[in-house]
Amino acid sequence: MIIKPRIKSRLLVILEILNSRMELAEEEKQYYLSQEKGHHGEQLNDLWVKKLEEELFVLHNLLFEMKNSQFQIDTLIIAQDRIYLLDVKYHKGDYIYKNDGFYTLSDNETKNHLHQLRRCETLLRQLLQTLGFNIPIESTLIFNNPEFYLYNVPPELPIIFPTQLKRFYNNLNKRPSKLSEKHKLLAKKLLDEDKGESSYSKIPIYKYHQIKKGFSCGTCFSLLTTVEKRKVVCTSCGHIEHLESALLRNVKEYMLLFPERKVTTLAIYEWCGGVGSQRSFRRILFNHFTPIGHGRFTHFIE
Ligand SMILES: [Zn+2]
């Protein structure tokens, strides 16, 4: 049972919008792509988690704080006699494991994901103790990109490779699990402790005038779209969206990027590139938001 579903982080949503509406610096672009890749890897892993049939509580994307240290958990599964802590990496390429670290083939040391996992487990154990729970934690580092390989891994390390995923989840599923009120309380307490999104997330700096205006496509984020009567047609991918849903999505983008700016018919008309009819925009805004003020000074809030 999924107690906390995975949603795309606010950071990733903003990066997606910025990537389609402005020229990101190379470093920002790389950061965006790594976030996107990470999210994709997590979603792939979620497909396995969804298939588990025993009684389990699943919580995705948690951020906790313990003794002034923040730690993030991709997936936490509460089972009858233990907690599974899953850290998912969607890296690709060849690496070597040596001296308790991860190295590239050209011998550069890279981020040590096992250290990260152990740190996370230690902090989670402390958190569980403060919450009054003493339940074993089983941590696993999952590499689920089929184009990943790590040489020289001792088999006792808690690492799962793409070819082992099926067996890993089969074994997890074979272990009987029945949950009680105690587990429910634990899930509730963990949700209460969840801090939401990290405040350290790196959002590039942007200004209204730098941002390209236009209707973004709901599938490929391209601004190469045309408005034909009640439809928005993407000339990049061919996706056709109803004007109403496309407009609402673009209004959401505007509100997310510029929470301090007012949502008026004219502002949204400008935001969408000055195409379509202001009258139909106004009608859609009236139908979905609360109008404040009168006439052309009307602005809308959620
Ligand atoms: Zn498109």
Side-chain angles (χ1 to χ4, degrees), residues 67-81:
K67 293 180 183 156
N68 295 322
S69 305
Q70 289 198 328
F71 62 106
Q72 227 167 331
I73 295 178
D74 288 339
T75 297
L76 183 150
I77 302 176
I78 301 175
Q80 182 177 336
D81 62 348

Side-chain angles (χ1 to χ4, degrees), residues 217 219-220 222 234 236-237 239:
C217 167
T219 302
C220 73
S222 165
C234 176
S236 288
C237 76
H239 180 66

Side-chain angles (χ1 to χ4, degrees), residues 235-261:
T235 55
S236 288
C237 76
H239 180 66
I240 299 173
E241 193 175 1
H242 196 273
L243 175 68
E244 183 154 332
S245 80
L247 185 78
L248 291 173
R249 199 167 36 71
N250 280 270
V251 173
K252 290 269 160 66
E253 290 187 4
Y254 174 82
M255 292 167 109
L256 187 63
L257 254 49
F258 302 101
E260 72 288 357
R261 289 179 85 98

Side-chain angles (χ1 to χ4, degrees), residues 7-239:
I7 53 164
K8 218 183 251 185
S9 70
R10 184 174 162 271
L11 168 70
L12 181 53
V13 175
I14 290 181
L15 288 171
E16 273 172 357
I17 303 171
L18 290 181
N19 183 54
S20 68
R21 290 186 182 267
M22 70 185 271
E23 218 50 69
L24 292 179
E26 192 48 39
E27 198 181 310
E28 294 167 341
K29 181 117 185 167
Q30 288 309 319
Y31 180 62
Y32 158 60
L33 292 175
S34 78
Q35 290 289 315
E36 186 104 299
K37 204 175 65 177
H39 181 69
H40 176 67
E42 288 165 358
Q43 281 180 313
L44 286 180
N45 189 59
D46 293 351
L47 297 175
W48 288 98
V49 174
K50 259 186 213 157
K51 283 193 232 160
L52 296 171
E53 289 159 346
E54 283 299 316
E55 266 182 33
L56 303 161
F57 288 148
V58 178
L59 293 88
H60 291 301
N61 274 3
L62 298 162
L63 179 74
F64 297 126
E65 204 174 291
M66 193 66 214
K67 293 180 183 156
N68 295 322
S69 305
Q70 289 198 328
F71 62 106
Q72 227 167 331
I73 295 178
D74 288 339
T75 297
L76 183 150
I77 302 176
I78 301 175
Q80 182 177 336
D81 62 348
R82 71 194 70 192
I83 280 181
Y84 297 98
L85 178 65
L86 308 183
D87 193 13
V88 181
K89 301 288 172 209
Y90 195 65
H91 298 323
K92 85 181 191 188
D94 296 319
Y95 295 84
I96 303 172
Y97 181 81
K98 61 178 181 185
N99 311 326
D100 195 28
F102 291 69
Y103 291 79
T104 62
L105 294 192
S106 46
D107 215 23
N108 290 316
E109 191 168 5
T110 63
K111 204 166 179 183
N112 192 320
H113 305 294
L114 273 178
H115 281 178
Q116 203 188 338
L117 184 73
R118 287 181 196 127
R119 172 184 175 271
C120 196
E121 183 181 314
T122 306
L123 290 166
L124 178 65
R125 188 169 294 115
Q126 291 173 3
L127 176 68
L128 290 170
Q129 275 162 6
T130 43
L131 296 176
F133 288 86
N134 189 5
I135 179 166
I137 302 170
E138 197 175 307
S139 306
T140 310
L141 181 58
I142 296 175
F143 288 100
N144 62 349
N145 190 327
E147 290 183 62
F148 175 84
Y149 196 74
L150 183 62
Y151 290 93
N152 295 343
V153 188
E156 66 273 15
L157 289 182
I159 298 181
I160 292 295
F161 294 106
T163 48
Q164 298 172 307
L165 273 168
K166 189 173 177 187
R167 253 176 309 142
F168 172 73
Y169 280 106
N170 277 346
N171 288 337
L172 205 156
N173 208 24
K174 266 190 228 152
R175 208 176 280 148
S177 170
K178 288 273 170 269
L179 300 179
S180 65
E181 285 303 314
K182 188 187 81 183
H183 299 98
K184 219 183 256 180
L185 181 68
L186 171 57
K188 190 192 167 296
K189 285 197 171 182
L190 287 173
L191 282 180
D192 289 344
E193 288 295 320
D194 181 22
K195 303 269 176 269
E197 219 173 301
S198 165
S199 47
Y200 304 128
S201 45
K202 295 186 270 176
I203 295 174
I205 293 166
Y206 57 89
K207 297 266 186 313
Y208 183 78
H209 70 268
Q210 295 173 293
I211 304 284
K212 284 184 218 149
K213 315 298 185 291
F215 260 111
S216 71
C217 167
T219 302
C220 73
F221 308 110
S222 165
L223 294 179
L224 298 172
T225 52
T226 56
V227 178
E228 296 166 13
K229 289 189 180 159
R230 298 255 167 98
K231 290 191 171 67
V232 175
V233 181
C234 176
T235 55
S236 288
C237 76
H239 180 66

Side-chain angles (χ1 to χ4, degrees), residues 260-295:
E260 72 288 357
R261 289 179 85 98
K262 279 187 176 160
V263 176
T264 65
T265 307
L266 190 61
I268 295 307
Y269 180 72
E270 187 183 289
W271 178 247
C272 294
V275 291
S277 105
Q278 283 194 49
R279 196 198 288 182
S280 45
F281 282 24
R282 191 175 159 80
R283 183 181 47 78
I284 294 169
L285 289 172
F286 261 102
N287 285 342
H288 293 274
F289 297 92
T290 309
I292 307 282
H294 293 283

